[in-house]
Amino acid sequence: TNIMATIQDFRNGISGIHVENPDIAIQITDDPAVPEESVLLVDYPAADADPAGRDIWCDAADRDWSAGTAILFRARPAAPLRISVSFFDRNRVAYTTWMNLKGDEWQTVQIRFDEIQPNPYFQLPGADTDAPIDVSEVERLGFAPQTPEAGRLMVGKFIVVD
């Protein structure tokens, strides 16, 4: 597996990491289980009526992901967690996938561009959902806990691989 682009590696601290909800606490930390990289530690509140209330958005360091075939990252929730990962492609189409993570262990997540689908619940005005996915200009990547309880999640760098 070759790294084709770096989405976010947290080298610049929390600069480039965005949360709207003041009840979400974020910090950059280290974990001995992944000594070669900094990780983002997220403490998030219980879900409320706002479907985007626990979104965490990461600015993309490299915005052209077209040399790769998938997004790859590692995650470690404190407890079992359903998580969503989203981005907007060049056509302004929101792409989202959902996955279940095991609690209290690091696991690798791979999201293939040929498998991710347009988000069925949200699209920006003017999004061209009939166009094929175009990852040649992606500004940011978002993720959010989907289980209702408050919790803690660590994520490692987000990269695009071949």
Side-chain angles (χ1 to χ4, degrees):
T1 302
N2 296 307
I3 299 173
M4 306 308 289
T6 297
I7 300 171
Q8 180 59 251
D9 62 10
F10 312 115
R11 280 189 200 164
N12 296 321
I14 60 170
S15 174
I17 312 302
H18 309 279
V19 296
E20 298 291 325
N21 185 337
D23 294 330
I24 295 175
I26 58 172
Q27 65 179 337
I28 305 302
T29 189
D30 296 312
D31 187 305
V34 287
E36 69 281 0
E37 63 186 272
S38 296
V39 297
L40 178 66
L41 174 63
V42 180
D43 286 298
Y44 54 88
D48 61 17
D50 181 1
R54 299 189 298 171
D55 288 2
I56 297 101
W57 286 95
C58 302
D59 291 345
D62 297 324
R63 295 182 173 193
D64 183 354
W65 304 354
S66 59
T69 62
I71 297 166
L72 190 77
F73 69 98
R74 292 188 280 188
R76 181 182 180 179
L81 176 67
R82 185 160 177 80
I83 187 174
S84 63
V85 177
S86 302
F87 62 86
F88 294 91
D89 80 344
R90 180 180 281 278
N91 298 311
R92 299 174 37 102
V93 176
Y95 285 87
T96 303
T97 191
W98 295 264
M99 69 222 52
N100 296 313
L101 301 175
K102 300 172 192 165
D104 200 32
E105 68 180 70
W106 282 101
Q107 53 227 277
T108 300
V109 177
Q110 182 169 321
I111 302 163
R112 294 184 50 83
F113 295 139
D114 62 2
E115 293 175 356
I116 194 167
Q117 297 293 314
N119 187 316
Y121 306 108
F122 173 80
Q123 290 296 331
L124 291 171
D128 185 0
T129 55
D130 292 328
I133 189 170
D134 182 349
V135 293
S136 64
E137 178 68 27
V138 183
E139 295 181 7
R140 59 188 191 160
L141 177 138
F143 63 94
Q146 299 296 314
T147 43
E149 301 81 17
R152 172 172 273 194
L153 171 66
M154 287 191 285
V155 294
K157 65 185 175 191
F158 291 90
I159 57 175
V160 175
V161 296
D162 61 358

